[in-house]
Structures are given as C-alpha cells and as structure tokens.
Amino acid sequence: MPKTLKCDVLVVGTGIIGSMAALYLQNAGRDVVLLERGDISRGASSGNAGILAFPEIIPIPAPGIMKKAPRWLFDPLGPLSVPPAYAPKIAPWLWRFWRASAERSFRHGLKSLMEINRLAAIEMAHIAAMPELSSFISKTGTLDIYDSEASLNAARRDWDEKEKAGFAFQRVDRNEIEELQPGLAPQFRHAVFSADGLQVSDPYDFTRAIFDLVISRGASLRKGEAQRIDAVGESTIVTLENGDKIDADKVVIACGAWSKKLAATLGNIVPLETERGYNTTLPVGAFNLTRQLYFNDHGFVVTPLSTGIRVGGAVELGGLDLKPNFRRAEAMLKKAERFLPGLKLEGGRQWMGFRPSMPDCLPVIGTARTTPSVIYAFGHGHLGLTQSAATARLVTQMANGDETSISVDPFRPGRFS
C-alpha cells in the first residue's frame, strides 16, 4: 500500500547542486530530506574536471559561433557534435542557441554569468573555510594553452571581458610555459596563466563529503524516482514511481538532466537539453601534472585529481537514451598523448555523463509557474560545480522568503516561453 511521508524541505537529487542546497538549507534551520533515483552523487557531478571556473563568464552562444558550428556539429569526434539520429530532436534547442548568440543576448548572458560567478566565488570561500570540507579545495593555477599566436589573439575579446570583470591573469611565452608545466609539447608557445585557479581534489569525493555531512547533521535520504509534482492547496505532493508520496512544505528540483520532466508536470516547459560529456581518468602518476590545462583550440581540459589525471571535455548533444560513443574519449586521449609527451595511457577509466544545459548557457533558478513552493535549481551545463554554492544560497533565500543576493530574473524558468 502506498505510503505518504511529510517533511519540511525535499531536495530531489544528490549531485553537487542538490547536496550543496541541502547543506545551505540545513544551515538556515530547515529540516531536509533528499530524494535520489540512482547512486548517491554519481551523476554528472562525479565526472567533471573538478575546476572551480569562476572566470568562465563568456557564454558559449557568442556572436559568430554559428559560423563554426556546422564544421563542429557534423564531426563525430569534434569538440561539439550532434549524432545524426538526434538532429531532428535537437533542432529547436539549436535555434534558441543561435538566438542567444546575438550581441544583445550575449551581453545579457555575460552580465548574468558574471554576477552569479562572483557570488559563487564568495560562497565557495565559505565552504572552503569549513573544517569538514577545506581539505578538498586547493589553488593550482590555470594554464590556457593556444596552438598559435593567431588563435590567442582571436580570444582577446574574451580575455578583455574577464579582465574588466576583475579576474587576474598574464600572457606567458614558451619559457614561462615550461616553468609552469614542464613536459608540454614544444609546439605550444602561447598561453595565459591565471594564478588564482582553484579546483577540488576529486569532484565525486567533494560532493559525497557534502552529502555525508548533511546526513550526519540530521537530514535523511529517500531512494526512489519522482514521477510528478502536484500543488494541492497548501501542500506540495511528490509522487514516486512506486506510488508513495512525499508531502513537503518546499521542494527543490535539482536532478540535473532529469529535471525537465518534473518541471513539465507543474506547467514549466523548459528547453533543457543533455550535453553528453566524456572523459578518461588515468592513474595517479600517469604524468607529472602540476595544474589545470585548458587546450582551448581543441575543447578539452586535463586536470590533476587526487584520484588520477582526468582528460575530458567536448560536447555531444545526444539526449539521455543513445548509447555512449567512447571514440570521443579516445580521440581526446590521443591528442593529450601528443600534447603531453610521456603521458602514460595504461589503466584509464572511461566515463560518460549527462550535463543539463540551457540554450543561453544560464541555469534555471526560480519558482514553478503554478506554485512558489517548488524551486528549480538545474541546467548549469559546464558550471554546476562552479555555481553550486551560489545556487544553494539563492535557493535557500527563496525557500525562506528572503531577498536574494542577486536578481534571479535572468535565470527564471519561463524565460523562453
């Protein structure tokens, strides 16, 4: 017989957004129940590069992006691709992506990302000061590497915007590159170094530590998949696949790529798509990697984690159901081997995960169309880890009826309606 559980705040999802939101809500005095359909903290949050990318304020849909897109989209191993079988389904999303690349929309996205990433840096500093979590965050510095002086100059506008936003960096030559990261292929003679680059030691370990901390402080976990949400009078009822119900005063939807379905049950049709991200994690000692490396002309990163060397990136707009194409991970690994002579490829672990992404590169943070008791927190694309603490702060303020630290209007769920 179906059962009904009553609770104060239900957080759907135990990834970095859900776990961080639970921590902030708990710190604000709320009693939290977390709902998870799969393995704890094992979604997209576990497979990212571990970079706290606060300076990444440039929206992906930028003016001129569509001139490059045709060449990328139909290269099955390129930095951005669409499997032919998925092309008809992704067409409406790509149209909105193109609209978002107009100068006015780009400027709006740039301003919005700058504001949320600034808040994210402030909030993550608080997380880094917590005794239970401080050991997971370190300053390694970031090296953005370009194939040529021409490609670095082509990115000048982006670096100018980051400089205006207050982020510090310096252009470095081959000798400085060798000092910052010994062993790079000699072809790389142009780079930008950001000394303040931060990362977590391992994204899964960090997310799981936050989840475990929340549970140790009194939150509870419920396993199951939410099928629908209904606002019934003063109650918000979440129905699970087995017929059980959870009656919550507040519900936070933070289940990444699976959030779209739940939002639809409350009347919010959001153009959330799934970027399938790929990586390979090589064993510790595969290369003497001292810091984060962005290979900007190739769309992938290499980062040193406590659990190994992670080579990942690229975007495949392929939804939730197509089989993984691990040739993409293999292509990145072959490039990494060329770019980092001496990189040991044995013993690597391949991974594919689902990044929840909106066409304008902005997350969905706001209340449901039919009830303010349901708060959305999903669609962060490549910046879920980076923006997690800022999102948690905003979600908690909305749940408690407080004024938000920044305006959430740019992230409202109905902005494409």
Side-chain angles (χ1 to χ4, degrees), residues 52 128 134-141 196-201 292 304:
L52 293 169
S134 60
S135 63
F136 290 95
I137 299 175
S138 63
K139 182 185 292 187
T140 61
D196 295 330
L198 295 173
Q199 73 171 74
V200 300
S201 55
Q292 310 158 8

Side-chain angles (χ1 to χ4, degrees), residues 92-108:
W93 190 95
L94 288 174
W95 181 77
R96 291 186 171 99
F97 181 87
W98 170 69
R99 291 285 301 273
S101 70
E103 183 68 28
R104 182 177 179 181
S105 298
F106 170 78
R107 285 285 159 192
H108 171 74

Side-chain angles (χ1 to χ4, degrees), residues 46 187 208 373 412:
S46 69
Q187 72 205 56
R208 185 60 193 250
S373 295
R412 65 190 185 280

Side-chain angles (χ1 to χ4, degrees), residues 9-312:
V9 181
L10 175 69
V11 177
V12 184
T14 62
I16 188 60
I17 300 296
S19 294
M20 192 72 82
L23 177 63
Y24 271 69
L25 287 160
Q26 198 176 58
N27 287 345
R30 307 302 294 257
D31 292 323
V32 178
V33 173
L34 292 115
L35 178 67
E36 175 57 58
R37 63 186 291 277
D39 295 331
I40 304 301
S41 305
R42 279 294 187 188
S45 299
S46 69
N48 65 63
I51 299 172
L52 293 169
F54 305 123
E56 295 305 313
I57 60 171
I58 310 300
I60 296 175
I65 188 73
M66 296 310 288
K67 293 179 181 178
K68 304 175 184 178
R71 173 170 53 89
W72 287 346
L73 290 174
F74 299 102
D75 176 359
L77 302 181
L80 171 63
S81 72
V82 177
Y86 200 69
K89 292 183 179 180
I90 196 68
W93 190 95
L94 288 174
W95 181 77
R96 291 186 171 99
F97 181 87
W98 170 69
R99 291 285 301 273
S101 70
E103 183 68 28
R104 182 177 179 181
S105 298
F106 170 78
R107 285 285 159 192
H108 171 74
L110 176 68
K111 180 176 183 292
S112 302
L113 283 175
M114 182 173 61
E115 290 179 352
I116 192 171
N117 281 14
R118 280 176 173 168
L119 178 62
I122 294 169
E123 294 299 330
M124 193 61 77
H126 298 322
I127 296 298
M130 296 179 62
E132 302 91 340
L133 300 173
S134 60
S135 63
F136 290 95
I137 299 175
S138 63
K139 182 185 292 187
T140 61
T142 303
L143 197 59
D144 283 76
I145 302 165
Y146 294 87
D147 287 357
S148 66
E149 185 173 13
S151 63
L152 174 54
N153 290 337
R156 179 65 183 268
R157 173 177 172 171
D158 292 354
W159 289 107
D160 286 347
E161 295 291 355
K162 292 176 183 181
E163 186 174 38
K164 285 191 288 186
F167 296 105
F169 53 86
Q170 63 184 100
R171 185 166 175 170
V172 293
D173 61 18
R174 177 63 202 183
N175 291 334
E176 293 166 306
I177 291 171
E178 184 63 25
E179 291 178 6
L180 292 166
Q181 178 54 69
L184 272 167
Q187 72 205 56
F188 296 114
R189 310 184 65 83
H190 306 278
V192 174
F193 177 57
S194 304
D196 295 330
L198 295 173
Q199 73 171 74
V200 300
S201 55
D202 180 86
Y204 168 72
D205 290 345
F206 179 59
T207 304
R208 185 60 193 250
I210 297 170
F211 170 84
D212 289 341
L213 178 60
V214 170
I215 295 297
S216 73
R217 291 180 173 181
S220 60
L221 171 68
R222 175 68 188 268
K223 295 301 292 290
E225 183 173 359
Q227 293 292 307
R228 63 174 295 108
I229 305 175
D230 296 283
V232 182
E234 298 296 317
S235 299
T236 305
I237 308 297
V238 179
T239 303
L240 307 188
E241 83 286 352
N242 66 354
D244 288 352
K245 299 179 186 296
I246 301 176
D247 181 350
D249 291 339
K250 298 286 184 181
V251 177
V252 178
I253 304 302
C255 48
W258 286 267
S259 302
K260 180 178 182 177
K261 179 182 72 172
L262 289 179
T265 67
L266 287 164
N268 286 111
I269 308 303
V270 293
L272 183 72
E273 258 302 337
T274 304
E275 293 183 25
R276 295 144 58 94
Y278 293 84
N279 71 46
T280 303
T281 304
L282 300 170
V284 174
F287 190 84
N288 184 24
L289 190 65
T290 59
R291 63 190 76 256
Q292 310 158 8
L293 304 180
Y294 281 72
F295 290 99
N296 286 277
D297 295 322
H298 303 272
F300 74 94
V301 299
V302 183
T303 51
L305 303 179
S306 60
T307 50
I309 304 296
R310 181 158 292 172
V311 179

